Amino acid sequence: MSRCWYILHTYTGYENKIERTIRTMLDAKEIDPAVVLDIKVPVEEIVEIKDGKRKSRSNKFLPGYIMLEMDLPELGWKTTCAQLRTIQGVTGFVGTNSNVRPIPISMDEAKNLLQKSGLIKGEKQVHVKQSFNVGDIIKISDGPFASFSGTIKEINIEREKLAVEVQIFGRPTPVEINFMQAEKQ
């Protein structure tokens, strides 16, 4: 037996309820705690800027899926998998039928998912919901150019950066800022 991460498919919106149900079954010893080791619902933090106010919220980036760390035995795996599949809202394991042993995801995939949701050490990723367009006039709210206004010349979504042209000493000067440093005017 070896510890691996598996993906359990659920109805969208039932992820947290199913996680609580599995934890309750583990506490009641209905499911062997030596087999199901950990349960995670992958979420990411989204920062939205509206009317100059920053609002932070959690967003499930894999809606309809739960990550399970399991140590499935060679014999008896069907019992545990059947117990998980009978939970209301669970449709099964990703990539397999009910009579086939579940396939784990790779350790790299698991590490990326857990790191993206901040569940393991590493840089927790915070995504900024942006509503900027090239040509928009924005006010810089933070950093060395705070209180300057400028025009967006370029948007880099992957890096979450804006290339903005501001007037410094009467001359147009390009500066690069984060989405978090910009407010629409």
Side-chain angles (χ1 to χ4, degrees):
M1 298 191 302
S2 65
R3 298 170 70 131
C4 295
W5 285 96
Y6 297 83
I7 304 293
L8 189 64
H9 186 254
T10 67
Y11 294 158
T12 303
Y14 280 63
E15 302 89 354
N16 293 333
K17 180 181 179 183
I18 292 169
E19 178 190 13
R20 285 191 306 273
T21 302
I22 294 171
R23 290 192 190 282
T24 302
M25 291 173 79
L26 286 168
D27 291 342
K29 305 286 190 230
E30 293 174 34
I31 296 177
D32 187 0
V35 175
V36 178
L37 306 168
D38 201 1
I39 310 153
K40 303 286 186 197
V41 177
V43 294
E44 64 184 343
E45 187 178 342
I46 303 285
V47 176
E48 195 171 8
I49 301 172
K50 276 190 177 179
D51 302 326
K53 296 179 183 173
R54 295 178 186 178
K55 294 182 181 178
S56 181
R57 63 182 168 90
S58 292
N59 189 35
K60 293 178 186 122
F61 63 86
L62 289 177
Y65 297 97
I66 295 175
M67 295 177 66
L68 292 175
E69 185 179 20
M70 298 193 301
D71 193 359
L72 276 182
E74 290 298 320
L75 300 171
W77 63 266
K78 283 188 178 186
T79 306
T80 302
C81 293
Q83 288 173 316
L84 292 168
R85 283 189 190 100
T86 58
I87 297 171
Q88 184 178 359
V90 173
T91 59
F93 286 90
V94 171
T96 59
N97 295 328
S98 60
N99 58 349
V100 179
R101 184 182 169 97
I103 301 169
I105 60 174
S106 72
M107 289 310 289
D108 288 338
E109 288 174 314
K111 182 180 175 187
N112 288 340
L113 290 173
L114 293 169
Q115 194 167 15
K116 184 175 181 181
S117 59
L119 297 171
I120 60 172
K121 290 184 180 179
E123 187 175 316
K124 183 174 181 178
Q125 298 175 352
V126 176
H127 293 283
V128 178
K129 184 176 179 185
Q130 65 93 14
S131 58
F132 301 114
N133 296 311
V134 173
D136 285 353
I137 297 175
I138 55 110
K139 180 180 178 185
I140 301 173
S141 61
D142 192 23
F145 300 102
S147 77
F148 279 82
S149 293
T151 306
I152 297 174
K153 296 298 179 183
E154 188 180 325
I155 301 172
N156 186 333
I157 295 173
E158 292 84 35
R159 292 181 48 221
E160 296 182 352
K161 298 278 188 180
L162 298 172
V164 180
E165 188 174 271
V166 296
Q167 294 287 329
I168 300 177
F169 302 120
R171 296 183 179 199
T173 306
V175 296
E176 186 176 81
I177 61 171
N178 292 323
F179 286 172
M180 297 286 291
Q181 295 175 303
E183 293 177 10
K184 269 190 164 183
Q185 280 191 325

